[in-house]
Amino acid sequence: MIFAGLFLVAIILLLVFNYRHGETRKCRWRERRSEADSQWICVQCGATTRGPQGQTPERCFRTENQSTPGSQP
């Protein structure tokens, strides 16, 4: 019975984590720092944005018509 309870808790945690990070799930952000802020580049789709140092973007900036590398149109 304890195993079933732990299993249920693990499933719920996975669902919550995936829901919270669904918008950036496929993004792989890399940071280029400057004195004031950072430029963030997604190595998955090539999107770029600026933001505070050490704080990754919380959403994907890929456009809907832009395909991901390796995918077929």
Side-chain angles (χ1 to χ4, degrees), residues 7-25:
F7 182 74
L8 183 62
V9 168
I11 295 296
I12 290 172
L13 287 174
L14 286 172
L15 290 173
V16 168
F17 181 78
N18 281 336
Y19 178 74
R20 285 184 51 205
H21 298 94
E23 293 180 345
T24 60
R25 184 176 348 149

Side-chain angles (χ1 to χ4, degrees), residues 11-72:
I11 295 296
I12 290 172
L13 287 174
L14 286 172
L15 290 173
V16 168
F17 181 78
N18 281 336
Y19 178 74
R20 285 184 51 205
H21 298 94
E23 293 180 345
T24 60
R25 184 176 348 149
K26 296 177 183 173
C27 293
R28 308 262 185 224
W29 295 106
R30 299 297 181 257
E31 180 179 20
R32 287 192 174 168
R33 293 184 179 201
S34 64
E35 289 185 24
D37 60 358
S38 294
Q39 179 182 20
W40 293 91
I41 302 168
C42 178
V43 296
Q44 183 69 22
C45 69
T48 61
T49 186
R50 298 196 80 75
Q53 290 183 359
Q55 187 175 0
T56 59
E58 294 183 2
R59 71 177 192 90
C60 182
F61 293 96
R62 176 179 46 213
T63 59
E64 291 298 321
N65 61 357
Q66 189 179 31
S67 62
T68 58
S71 67
Q72 295 186 4

